Amino acid sequence: QQQVKQSPQSLIVQKGGISIINCAYENTAFDYFPWYQQFPGKGPALLIAIRPDVSEKKEGRFTISFNKSAKQFSLHIMDSQPGDSATYFCAASKTGTASKLTFGTGTRLQVTL
Amino acid sequence: KAGVTQTPRYLIKTRGQQVTLSCSPISGHRSVSWYQQTPGQGLQFLFEYFSETQRNKGNFPGRFSGRQFSNSRSEMNVSTLELGDSALYLCASSLGLGQETQYFGPGTRLLVL
């Protein structure tokens, strides 16, 4: 049972454009929502994370938008750069089992010149 | 500070064999989690260890086991290997139990022939 659905599977964005990746979750007990970035041959690296008590969190060019009623959250990458080309995973976990992350299926982002 | 290290990085085994993978967490981190990453199933949580005890477990058969040593280093073992066990096995460490921020290692790529 996939508890976190992620879309799109792949995304091509021009340099300077906005990349948007969406995730939806089913388990209302989830209360921690991180995004991870993974480059080929590397492990995932934490990019940004949000809790349900806020609707938006911004760190540099990366913004998470969170809609608790819709059980959806999204990652926006502003001014996308070729160096952002990677696979992005959303994830979710709940208090008490915070390290037991349930991951989305991943989005392969390619930023073209 | 050195990151999470995993050994070996690559491994080839045949069906029926067993394998042991090793993970050294970031210095000072006491919680270690293991994940399996495959193209078909994505990233799936295997188990978490803290203070030498398994604290959380994912939905994997008993062939997958692990342990943690007093210095927080962890090993995972897969017995009676199957072709479907071919995957990237990722280790992640965090400061303590319930700490949300996890730092992933580069993974061990296991190929079962």
Side-chain angles (χ1 to χ4, degrees):
Chain A
Q1 179 191 3
Q2 182 186 349
Q3 296 188 49
V4 179
K5 294 183 180 179
Q6 183 172 346
S7 63
Q9 190 173 1
S10 63
L11 185 60
I12 300 175
V13 173
Q14 279 197 322
K15 179 183 175 182
I18 302 174
S19 303
I20 302 174
I21 305 170
N22 301 299
C23 283
Y25 63 98
E26 300 170 2
N27 189 342
T28 55
F30 287 150
D31 58 5
Y32 175 68
F33 303 89
W35 284 89
Y36 281 82
Q37 179 190 56
Q38 186 176 28
F39 292 104
K42 304 285 187 181
L46 180 64
L47 203 56
I48 186 173
I50 198 169
R51 288 193 163 277
D53 53 347
V54 297
S55 60
E56 186 174 282
K57 183 175 181 180
K58 184 177 180 180
E59 288 184 4
R61 296 185 294 109
F62 301 93
T63 300
I64 298 180
S65 297
F66 187 83
N67 186 329
K68 187 174 181 179
S69 60
K71 294 188 287 185
Q72 296 176 346
F73 58 110
S74 60
L75 175 70
H76 294 231
I77 306 174
M78 312 299 286
D79 187 26
S80 299
Q81 299 296 311
D84 297 331
S85 297
T87 300
Y88 292 81
F89 294 93
C90 62
S93 67
K94 55 185 179 180
T95 301
T97 56
S99 52
K100 187 177 179 180
L101 290 167
T102 298
F103 282 90
T105 50
T107 296
R108 183 170 292 185
L109 171 65
Q110 182 182 353
V111 181
T112 61
L113 292 171
Chain B
K1 243 183 200 180
V4 177
T5 57
Q6 294 186 243
T7 56
R9 292 293 312 276
Y10 304 92
L11 207 48
I12 299 176
K13 292 285 187 179
T14 56
R15 278 182 299 175
Q17 287 187 309
Q18 74 166 11
V19 67
T20 299
L21 312 180
S22 180
C23 171
S24 292
I26 292 172
S27 178
H29 284 196
R30 297 175 60 198
S31 173
V32 173
S33 297
W34 288 89
Y35 290 81
Q36 181 195 65
Q37 184 174 24
T38 60
Q41 299 298 316
L43 279 151
Q44 293 185 289
F45 174 81
L46 279 156
F47 29 64
E48 177 188 18
Y49 284 86
F50 177 78
S51 290
E52 303 176 62
T53 303
Q54 188 180 92
R55 303 291 180 156
N56 289 295
K57 190 176 188 304
N59 297 322
F60 279 81
R63 300 186 297 107
F64 292 82
S65 63
R67 60 177 176 168
Q68 186 181 35
F69 302 94
S70 58
N71 61 358
S72 296
R73 192 177 68 85
S74 177
E75 289 181 347
M76 69 163 281
N77 183 276
V78 187
S79 63
T80 320
L81 284 166
E82 300 176 359
L83 296 179
D85 297 333
S86 295
L88 180 67
Y89 290 89
L90 292 158
C91 166
S93 76
S94 61
L95 277 171
L97 192 64
Q99 294 292 318
E100 297 156 339
T101 304
Q102 295 190 74
Y103 299 86
F104 282 82
T108 293
R109 185 162 296 280
L110 171 65
L111 177 61
V112 182
L113 302 175

